[in-house]
Amino acid sequence: MRYSVFSLLSQGLRGNRGWQPVWRQPSPKSQYDIIIIGGGGHGLATAYYLAKLHKRTDIAVLEKGWLGGGNVGRNTTIIRSNYMLPPNTYFYEHSMKLWEGLEQDLNFNTMVSQRGVLNLFHSDIQRDAFARRGNAMRLAGVDAELLDAKQVKQLIPVIDIDNARFPIEGGLFQPRGGTARHDAVAWGYARGANALGVDIIQNCEVTGLDIENGSVRGVHTNQGDIRAERVGIAVAGHTSVLAQMANIELPVESHVLQAFVSEGIKPLLDTVVTFGAGHFYASQSDKGGLVFGGDLDRYNSYAQRGNLPTAQNVLTEAVAVMPAVARLRLLRQWGGIMDMSFDGSPFICKTPVEGLYLNGGWCYGGFKATPASGWCFAHTIANNEAHDLNAHFTIDRFERGNVIDEKGAGPFPWEQ
Amino acid sequence: MHRIKCPFCGERDESEYVYQGDASVSHPPLDASVSDFYRYVYVRDNPKGWHREWWHHVGGCRMWVQVARNTLTHEIYATALAGETLDFPEDA
């Protein structure tokens, strides 16, 4: 069913009894052309673009839990393309352009809201660094504006511009950045892929990879063996677990990242704001809750929950930026497992195993990358060759010395 | 909250420590190949389960402590000083 104001009206007049499930629940066939492991945002987007742009429809997406139950539903929903290093700038800007047309493309309301992303700076040196990043963005055709303290205060009246420890000198603003509804992104891509004939199989955990003479032949799952010529891994958080099945060594560690939502309040914050003297990012959802997060817990973890020292740190930063939120109560807090690569940049590439493709290493950047990640991964799988946009996101960039270390943090994943 | 037993100071909250990464990797000889150094700096097993790791007791005695910790349950099995042998679960 195509969604429109007419479908909404006609269903409403008939008591909303005619809505249909938006994706099938098929049993796996014994063979597919392409298998995508992981039914999160990236896996579903990959299947959608493979079917839509590359006319490959004999595809299965295997999800070990339920659709959208992993990191696509565990992030702080921020979308932006304010990166400085060329491989990141062009890749994330491609993603931003896809976000801008996503709802029309999918015929699904993903609630993309270009409310702007503001990175605060607190010193002259930080201003210079942000100006440099803003200039790099503008040279690449991305929007960026350098705001002074007065303009910041105008944009976010609740902000504490005269913070005694970290006074705010200004901010780097990307007006086209913003937020999107993360669950709807997973559902929209799933609906789109399903309509083009992709089988989305939930509760299907991959337990092994079938590899013969250096080529992939299929996967072993808890629902039986499935053969395929090409297999794509898109399981960020658990990439090492899958890579181990193929004996591939990776520069990746899994770390837990927490996120928080406050109780709902009246409109307070109509943009996305980040604190430059620490690591804190916040926006306000349409329901009124403040959605925010900060640093990793800084130890290897596969547990989808974090610890209190990090929570305290994040909440302290929230109050430093907006003292007015000090008496708000938290509604929810949760954790997601990040694939932390050793330079903070992702992998979208071929692997040493023929027919096996890797999408992972997303660090903090996975959600905003969803459309471009799927788009580039689909191109890479369909053509057995990377697109220019993801040509740098290989595994061997570390051994060749071509790391893409946006933050300059060095080879410490928990510092990225 | 992790509580990590420092061999000198006893059981202390994780907030006294700074995490310093995988303790199972070791520095290759100086004449080792680029590939060996690549693996030392970048490649990690990243196990879902028991993990050997360094925690630096910055807020205490400043010693580096080896910890056998489970990355799925956050359970701590044993700790030891650098240079000592760390008890490690047999099923790992």
Side-chain angles (χ1 to χ4, degrees), chain A residues 109 122 156-157 183 192 255 371 396 400:
Chain A
N109 184 8
H122 308 263
I156 310 176
D183 301 309
H255 287 257
D396 67 355
R400 290 187 288 111

Side-chain angles (χ1 to χ4, degrees), chain A residues 64 238 240-241 249-255 298-303 305 307 309 342 398-399 403 411 414, chain B residues 1-2 14 19-22 35 38-39 41-48 51 55 69 71-74:
Chain A
K64 75 172 173 179
H238 282 71
S240 296
V241 177
E249 294 179 327
L250 283 183
V252 164
E253 284 186 356
S254 297
H255 287 257
R298 289 167 181 259
Y299 47 77
N300 288 47
S301 179
Y302 282 89
R305 60 177 195 283
N307 270 316
F342 277 58
F398 293 91
E399 196 162 352
V403 292
W414 59 93
Chain B
M1 173 78 85
H2 291 92
E14 71 176 69
Y19 184 68
Q20 297 287 6
D22 190 328
S35 169
Y38 157 69
R39 297 186 73 252
V41 177
Y42 292 114
V43 173
R44 298 292 179 265
D45 289 341
N46 191 24
K48 187 175 183 175
H51 189 225
W55 289 77
R69 191 183 59 95
T71 59
L72 191 58
T73 63
H74 293 175

Side-chain angles (χ1 to χ4, degrees), chain A residues 334-350:
Chain A
W334 65 94
I337 304 305
M338 307 293 104
D339 250 23
M340 298 305 297
S341 68
F342 277 58
D343 62 356
S345 297
F347 304 105
I348 308 174
C349 57
K350 295 159 69 169

Side-chain angles (χ1 to χ4, degrees), chain A residues 146 287 302 330:
Chain A
L146 201 67
K287 281 195 287 188
Y302 282 89
L330 276 188

Side-chain angles (χ1 to χ4, degrees), chain A residues 249-273:
Chain A
E249 294 179 327
L250 283 183
V252 164
E253 284 186 356
S254 297
H255 287 257
V256 60
L257 178 62
Q258 302 188 52
F260 308 82
V261 174
S262 78
E263 59 189 326
I265 49 172
K266 289 181 179 175
L268 180 79
L269 182 63
D270 64 355
T271 187
V272 179
V273 65

Side-chain angles (χ1 to χ4, degrees), chain A residues 24-194:
Chain A
R24 296 165 292 124
Q25 308 257 8
S27 297
K29 295 192 295 182
S30 60
Q31 186 166 359
Y32 289 92
D33 282 349
I34 300 170
I35 287 175
I36 306 295
I37 306 172
H42 293 231
L44 293 165
T46 305
Y48 173 73
Y49 290 118
L50 270 170
K52 184 172 181 215
L53 303 177
H54 304 281
K55 311 298 173 202
R56 307 289 291 260
T57 52
D58 191 25
I59 302 171
V61 177
L62 310 183
E63 166 55 45
K64 75 172 173 179
W66 69 94
L67 195 151
N71 290 335
V72 71
R74 291 173 179 271
N75 50 71
T76 45
T77 77
I78 297 166
I79 59 175
R80 58 184 173 86
S81 57
N82 51 2
Y83 286 78
M84 186 177 76
L85 301 179
N88 286 336
T89 318
Y90 290 104
F91 173 79
Y92 283 102
E93 177 57 12
H94 184 61
S95 205
M96 183 55 76
K97 285 179 179 154
L98 290 170
W99 281 117
E100 286 174 328
L102 192 64
E103 288 162 347
Q104 288 69 32
D105 186 23
L106 294 176
N107 178 233
F108 201 87
N109 184 8
T110 52
M111 294 169 67
V112 172
S113 163
Q114 293 181 286
R115 58 185 68 186
V117 172
L118 177 67
N119 299 149
L120 300 174
F121 54 78
H122 308 263
S123 67
D124 292 355
I125 291 171
Q126 201 171 24
R127 181 198 56 222
D128 292 351
F130 280 26
R132 180 185 176 212
R133 176 155 58 92
N135 285 332
M137 289 161 63
R138 291 176 76 123
L139 282 172
V142 185
D143 59 323
E145 294 170 23
L146 201 67
L147 308 185
D148 61 22
K150 204 174 145 197
Q151 290 168 304
V152 166
K153 187 74 182 167
Q154 241 164 11
L155 196 63
I156 310 176
V158 73
I159 213 157
D160 181 16
I161 217 92
D162 300 317
N163 181 298
R165 179 69 182 84
F166 301 111
I168 291 162
E169 288 201 5
L172 182 65
F173 190 50
Q174 188 190 12
R176 285 162 64 242
T179 58
R181 173 150 191 231
H182 51 200
D183 301 309
V185 174
W187 300 334
Y189 275 120
R191 175 171 171 267
N194 176 78

Side-chain angles (χ1 to χ4, degrees), chain A residues 293-350:
Chain A
D295 265 325
L296 299 169
D297 267 37
R298 289 167 181 259
Y299 47 77
N300 288 47
S301 179
Y302 282 89
Q304 287 177 319
R305 60 177 195 283
N307 270 316
L308 287 174
T310 302
Q312 186 181 27
N313 188 30
V314 172
L315 298 171
T316 307
E317 290 177 287
V319 175
V321 182
M322 299 174 287
V325 306
R327 292 173 68 187
L328 275 185
R329 285 166 296 189
L330 276 188
L331 193 64
R332 291 190 291 131
Q333 171 268 355
W334 65 94
I337 304 305
M338 307 293 104
D339 250 23
M340 298 305 297
S341 68
F342 277 58
D343 62 356
S345 297
F347 304 105
I348 308 174
C349 57
K350 295 159 69 169

